[in-house]
């Protein structure tokens, strides 16, 4: 029994390793389409997930990239050259991304669009950097997407999570008048931890020391958060707002259990939970807000955003799944304005132009980049109310206070 | 005092879900020495069946979902494991990993990678306060269903011919075949029962979380395997005790650790599991050095 037990334990351990995702995938990319470098057009190479776990984020944002390219071409292109998109699927496999990126670079790409996350997007961004090209992640929210994370020529069209959290905290305290908060943090992904910490820092800045009554954590895959709920219910006074920093499905399931337990205080969610896909998981969804990137069901203060959403609905027959779609448009605005300012497509020149402190004019407002931050910390944040199965526009603001962002 | 009751209820409810899963894993391990890494995918299949039967009356959806779980269990055996009877445990396990990966990717391909919400009536998840203790009818149903299932499993294994054959097969597979036990039928039945248990666990789980994803089976599988290992591999009762212990441990650590350390909950829980394995590698609830497996 013992010998057999040990044998199965070794096998178990091996299985667990495999389960956690240490899987290798064979590369099987073939065929490339000639060299266009230095031609009379600007080639944007997109290395994104058409399949696999990341496609839910990448595909809607890519639809907006295509719209931005149409618009740019209608206005004469970039540097007077027409823009052409080539797109390859890295299948949400990080180890496949550099090969796919190289293939796109070999086809003459002048800049790369990469996946919507630091971990998934940085391998292709590094390949672009080695070829002297800039890359823009569709919507990564980590401040590491840039020099902090080793990507000197890599940018993100997302928003720094601490800054988004600070705007949410400022809105909660100054606009809504909530004086106390309780934070449920899901530490599975770094970006959600950053968001929770940014919120706590900023909320105590606006509402005063001790305004955050407590923080608890849960794992995204936890089948039950009964223990955490019992702790909230044991508080002497309930918080005026409950903050959940997570992503679907874990965050949605946490909200479902919170509401089922009869905790009916206002709930504020981070931008990783901004998607309509989980709404049905929470019966009678109400009194809930989400900090996101734009209003994506119509009614945004920016006409351009509404136009992007309309065009998406026309092409796809439904609203986009989340507000991250605007980041795709913004990614192209960053590339276009950077190249125009640098009067070049060369990576270092475009990077220097974007870093010079002049904001990029995006569809939701200005976004500034610096030598340390290649993800905007000052782009206006949108707050949406979730009620009746739909997000509705509630506010747009840039935080007046920014929590410290570690630059290690 | 309330805190103690609250803890007991939270721990029993989580432990019950783990017990359903651990029992299925232990059953298959007992009968054919396979640590079935695709056990979580039986939960996933049940979950997506619940999602796709949206619009039908709830009792019907539950029946269809359980049927799907049982069928998935049987098919798993008929289409894959049947062809590698008697292979080494490592080979069996790698095949089961392949099946898990295949099923996850089929779900991504046909339904998509994003989390999908399963709309269930709100009373399913309501939580009521009884004398200051938060009790959800779902928690009570979970505990009740599990206890009934465990009792039912006991009856099947100890009071029916197929149960006797299963226990015989798990004691000595070759000998059982020599005296006329139909091995394929025994294994098929074990997979059907494992599918049934996984389906029930899956439904209880989704009633709580309200969402399904292609990888939703992963965390329950891990909890089930850990429960089986700390209880004692292959022994059904030990696996159930292990599941309740692991559930209680998770809830206790969550409740007792200071906030800054709660993030290390799983690290602490799994460190304790390693400790158990070093001190009692045969499992906590196996008394004899050589224990019968079912």
């Amino acid at each position: 029994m013992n010998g057999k037990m040990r044998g199965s334990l070794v096998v178990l351990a091996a299985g667990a390793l495999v389960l956690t995702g240490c899987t290798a995938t064979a590369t099987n990319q073939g065929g490339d389409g000639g060299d266009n470098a230095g031609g009379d057009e600007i080639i944007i190479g997109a290395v994104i997930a058409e399949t696999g776990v990341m496609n839910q984020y990448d595909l809607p944002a890519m639809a907006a990239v295509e719209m931005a390219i149409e618009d740019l071409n209608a206005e004469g292109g970039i540097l007077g050259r027409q823009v052409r998109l080539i797109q390859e699927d890295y299948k949400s496999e990080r180890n496949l991304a550099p090969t796919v990126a190289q293939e796109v670079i070999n086809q003459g790409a002048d800049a790369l669009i990469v996946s919507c996350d630091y971990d998934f997007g940085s391998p292709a961004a590094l390949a672009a950097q080695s070829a002297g090209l800039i890359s823009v992640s569709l919507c990564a929210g980590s401040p590491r997407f840039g020099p902090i994370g080793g990507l000197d020529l890599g940018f993100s069209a997302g928003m720094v999570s601490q800054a988004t959290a600070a705007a949410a905290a400022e809105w909660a305290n100054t606009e809504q008048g909530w004086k106390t908060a309780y934070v449920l943090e899901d530490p599975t992904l770094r970006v959600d931890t950053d968001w929770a910490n940014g919120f706590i820092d900023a909320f105590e800045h606006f509402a005063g020391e001790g305004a955050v009554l407590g923080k608890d954590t849960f794992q995204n895959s936890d089948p039950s958060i009964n223990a955490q709920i019992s702790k909230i219910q044991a508080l002497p006074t309930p918080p005026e707002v409950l903050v959940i920093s997570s992503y679907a499905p874990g965050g949605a399931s946490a909200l479902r259990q919170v509401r089922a337990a009869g905790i009916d205080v206002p709930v504020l969610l981070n931008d990783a939970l901004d998607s309509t896909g989980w709404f049905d998981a929470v019966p009678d969804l109400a009194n809930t807000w989400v900090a996101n990137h734009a209003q994506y069901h119509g009614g945004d203060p920016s006409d351009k955003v509404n136009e992007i959403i309309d065009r998406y609905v026309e092409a796809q027959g439904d609203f986009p799944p989340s507000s991250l779609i605007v980041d795709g448009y913004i990614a192209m605005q960053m590339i276009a304005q950077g190249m125009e300012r640098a009067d070049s497509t060369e990576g270092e020149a475009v990077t220097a132009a974007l870093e010079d402190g002049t904001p990029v004019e995006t569809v939701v407002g200005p976004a500034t980049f610096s030598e340390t931050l290649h993800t905007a910390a000052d782009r206006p944040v949108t707050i949406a109310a979730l009620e009746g199965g739909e997000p509705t526009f509630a506010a747009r603001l840039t935080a007046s206070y920014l929590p410290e962002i570690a630059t290690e | 005092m309330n805190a103690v009751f609250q803890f007991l209820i939270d721990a029993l409810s989580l432990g019950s879900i783990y017990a359903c899963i651990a029992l299925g894993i232990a059953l298959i391990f007992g009968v054919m020495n396979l640590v079935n890494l695709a056990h979580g995918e039986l939960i996933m299949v049940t979950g997506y069946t619940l999602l796709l039967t949206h619009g039908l009356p709830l009792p019907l959806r539950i029946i269809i979902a359980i049927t799907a779980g049982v069928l998935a269990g049987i098919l798993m055996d008929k289409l894959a494991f049947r062809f590698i009877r008697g292979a080494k445990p490592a080979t069996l396990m790698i095949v089961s990993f392949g099946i898990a990966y295949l099923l996850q990717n089929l779900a991504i391909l046909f339904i998509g990678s994003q989390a999908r919400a399963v709309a269930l009536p709100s009373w399913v998840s309501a939580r009521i306060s009884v004398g200051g203790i938060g009790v959800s009818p779902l928690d009570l149903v979970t505990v009740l269903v599990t206890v009934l299932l465990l009792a039912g499993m006991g009856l099947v294994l100890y009071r029916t011919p197929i149960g006797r054959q299963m226990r015989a097969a798990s004691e000595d597979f070759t000998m059982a075949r020599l005296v006329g036990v139909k091995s394929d039928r025994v294994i098929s039945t074990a997979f059907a029962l494992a599918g049934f248990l996984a389906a029930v666990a899956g439904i209880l789980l989704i009633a709580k979380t309200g969402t399904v994803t292609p990888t939703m089976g992963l965390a329950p599988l891990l909890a089930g395997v850990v429960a089986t290992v700390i209880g004692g591999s292959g022994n059904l009762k030990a696996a159930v005790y292990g599941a309740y212990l692991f559930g209680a441990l998770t809830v206790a650590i969550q409740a007792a650790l200071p906030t800054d350390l709660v993030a290390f909950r799983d690290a602490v829980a799994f460190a304790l599991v390693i400790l158990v394995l070093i001190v009692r590698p045969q499992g906590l609830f196996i008394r004899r050095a050589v224990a019968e497996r079912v």
Side-chain angles (χ1 to χ4, degrees):
Chain A
M1 183 71 187
N2 265 2
K4 190 192 277 174
M5 275 283 313
R6 291 226 170 116
S8 12
L9 281 179
V10 171
V11 180
L12 256 185
L17 266 183
V18 183
L19 277 176
T20 48
C22 307
T23 47
T25 306
T27 55
N28 61 347
Q29 292 298 306
D32 75 3
D35 192 359
N36 273 319
D40 54 2
E41 55 186 1
I42 302 254
I43 299 177
I44 303 295
V47 179
I48 58 131
E50 291 170 16
T51 51
V53 291
M54 288 302 291
N55 74 353
Q56 53 183 316
Y57 305 104
D58 286 359
L59 286 182
M62 270 317 288
V65 167
E66 286 171 24
M67 289 179 209
I69 290 176
E70 272 173 36
D71 291 353
L72 281 165
N73 283 339
E75 288 158 18
I78 300 174
L79 299 171
R81 290 146 67 181
Q82 288 288 295
V83 183
R84 182 160 69 88
L85 177 71
I86 49 178
Q87 181 177 321
E88 294 281 352
D89 181 14
Y90 79 101
K91 303 179 168 66
S92 304
E93 297 277 1
R94 274 169 272 203
N95 44 7
L96 195 54
T99 321
V100 180
Q102 198 51 52
E103 197 168 304
V104 168
I105 293 164
N106 291 344
Q107 291 179 52
D110 295 294
L112 255 59
I113 297 267
V114 302
S115 206
C116 177
D117 173 77
Y118 178 82
D119 294 332
F120 284 92
S122 56
L126 278 171
Q129 186 161 314
S130 305
L133 303 176
I134 69 153
S135 60
V136 179
S137 162
L138 285 170
C139 42
S142 167
R144 287 183 299 155
F145 214 105
I148 303 171
L151 302 174
D152 293 333
L153 305 184
F155 290 79
S156 171
M159 296 190 284
V160 174
S161 19
Q162 289 95 330
T164 317
E170 182 164 355
W171 172 81
N173 182 249
T174 58
E175 302 268 319
Q176 297 295 101
W178 296 325
K179 290 175 208 66
T180 56
Y182 190 91
V183 178
L184 273 178
E185 173 204 324
D186 169 4
T188 312
L189 296 182
R190 167 78 179 266
V191 57
D192 300 320
T193 304
D194 285 348
W195 203 96
N197 290 336
F199 183 89
I200 293 170
D201 181 326
F203 196 75
E204 298 223 312
H205 170 84
F206 291 111
E209 202 71 23
V212 176
L213 301 180
K215 179 180 104 165
D216 206 348
T217 58
F218 66 99
Q219 293 289 337
N220 201 275
S221 55
D222 276 356
S224 161
I225 64 157
N226 274 5
Q228 291 86 335
I229 286 173
S230 298
K231 271 164 110 176
I232 300 175
Q233 288 176 323
L235 289 172
T237 49
E240 292 182 20
V241 58
L242 176 69
V243 175
I244 301 177
S245 184
S246 178
Y247 61 97
S253 130
L255 178 59
R256 173 187 173 87
Q257 294 175 66
V258 160
R259 289 307 191 210
I263 299 175
D264 52 8
V265 300
V267 169
L268 182 54
L269 308 170
N270 64 330
D271 47 341
L273 272 167
D274 176 45
S275 94
T276 47
W278 57 262
F279 285 2
D280 276 348
V282 183
D284 312 317
L285 179 65
N287 204 17
T288 303
W289 281 267
V290 62
N292 64 15
H293 297 204
Q295 168 58 21
Y296 61 102
H297 274 216
D300 192 276
S302 151
D303 292 339
K304 189 67 200 178
V305 169
N306 293 331
E307 184 208 314
I308 293 170
I309 303 299
D310 285 346
R311 283 159 77 181
Y312 185 93
V313 173
E314 201 168 301
Q316 313 282 334
D318 203 354
F319 285 116
S322 85
S323 66
L324 293 180
I325 177 176
V326 296
D327 292 7
Y329 201 93
I330 291 170
M332 279 313 300
Q333 291 186 304
M334 289 163 65
I335 292 173
Q337 291 176 37
M339 286 179 172
E340 292 286 356
R341 261 193 249 158
D343 196 21
S344 159
T345 59
E346 198 266 322
E348 294 203 4
V350 179
T351 298
L354 285 171
E355 280 173 348
D356 74 0
T358 317
V360 170
E361 287 308 324
T362 77
V363 288
V364 288
T368 319
F369 304 92
S370 70
E371 280 173 21
T372 46
L373 272 186
H374 279 189
T375 310
D378 63 342
R379 203 171 96 196
V381 173
T382 307
I383 309 282
L386 306 182
E387 199 145 356
E390 257 201 307
T392 45
F393 181 84
R396 174 161 291 159
L397 74 161
T398 300
S400 62
Y401 163 81
L402 187 63
E404 196 183 332
I405 294 163
T407 50
E408 89 277 14
Chain B
M1 199 58 197
N2 271 2
V4 175
F5 276 119
Q6 187 72 66
F7 164 76
L8 279 178
I9 287 180
D10 293 348
L12 268 179
S13 142
L14 187 61
S16 293
I17 293 183
Y18 287 171
C20 281
I21 299 158
L23 193 57
I25 293 173
L27 197 62
I28 300 292
F29 185 79
V31 172
M32 60 182 293
N33 243 332
L34 156 70
V35 179
N36 186 9
L37 293 181
H39 193 76
E41 276 51 52
L42 297 174
I43 297 178
M44 187 266 287
V45 167
T46 311
Y48 277 102
T49 312
L50 267 188
L51 175 78
L52 297 175
T53 50
H54 178 78
L56 297 177
L58 188 60
L60 191 60
R61 288 171 76 187
I62 290 176
I63 293 169
I64 297 177
I66 290 181
T67 312
V70 172
L71 279 181
I74 296 174
L75 284 179
M76 215 177 251
D77 178 50
K78 293 268 182 252
L79 298 181
F81 294 115
R82 189 191 142 82
F83 300 104
I84 47 165
R85 289 269 190 270
K88 288 191 188 121
T91 312
L92 289 171
M93 190 161 148
I94 287 171
V95 169
S96 77
F97 172 72
I99 297 173
Y101 203 64
L102 173 75
L103 289 176
Q104 283 171 23
N105 282 285
L106 284 178
I108 293 179
L109 195 65
F110 289 111
I111 300 164
S113 58
Q114 67 273 42
R116 296 284 296 267
V118 178
L120 292 171
S122 56
W123 55 261
V124 171
S125 60
R127 191 164 143 124
I128 46 176
S129 179
V130 181
I133 306 164
V135 186
S136 113
L138 179 65
D139 288 340
L140 298 180
V141 168
T142 304
V143 176
L144 196 72
V145 165
T146 311
V147 169
L148 286 177
L149 270 184
L150 297 184
M153 288 298 294
L155 279 181
V156 169
L157 287 172
Y158 286 88
R159 293 277 182 275
T160 64
I162 186 79
R164 245 192 315 277
Q165 290 173 20
M166 268 161 90
R167 284 187 296 131
S170 68
E171 288 271 318
D172 188 330
F173 197 73
T174 320
M175 191 61 195
R177 288 183 77 174
L178 286 176
V179 297
V181 169
K182 292 196 176 73
S183 59
D184 273 349
R185 215 184 89 185
V186 164
I187 291 175
S188 235
T189 312
F191 267 98
L193 285 175
F196 177 72
L197 289 165
V200 172
I203 291 169
L204 293 170
L205 206 63
I206 290 160
K208 225 170 190 8
T209 62
T211 48
V212 290
T213 66
T215 54
M216 65 178 290
L218 227 55
L221 170 74
L222 196 61
V225 167
V226 166
T228 323
V229 169
I230 56 176
S233 287
N235 182 301
L236 296 186
K237 277 183 199 151
V240 171
Y241 296 152
Y244 278 103
L245 182 71
F246 189 61
L249 195 69
T250 317
V251 174
I253 294 174
Q254 183 75 40
L257 276 190
T259 310
D260 291 342
L261 293 179
V262 168
F264 299 105
R265 184 197 68 200
D266 288 354
V268 174
F270 287 109
L272 287 173
V273 170
I274 293 174
L275 191 71
V276 165
L277 286 173
I278 292 171
V279 180
R280 279 185 73 91
Q282 75 272 37
L284 282 181
F285 304 108
I286 306 279
R287 288 221 184 81
R288 280 164 294 163
V290 180
E292 55 179 14
R293 277 193 271 119
V294 172

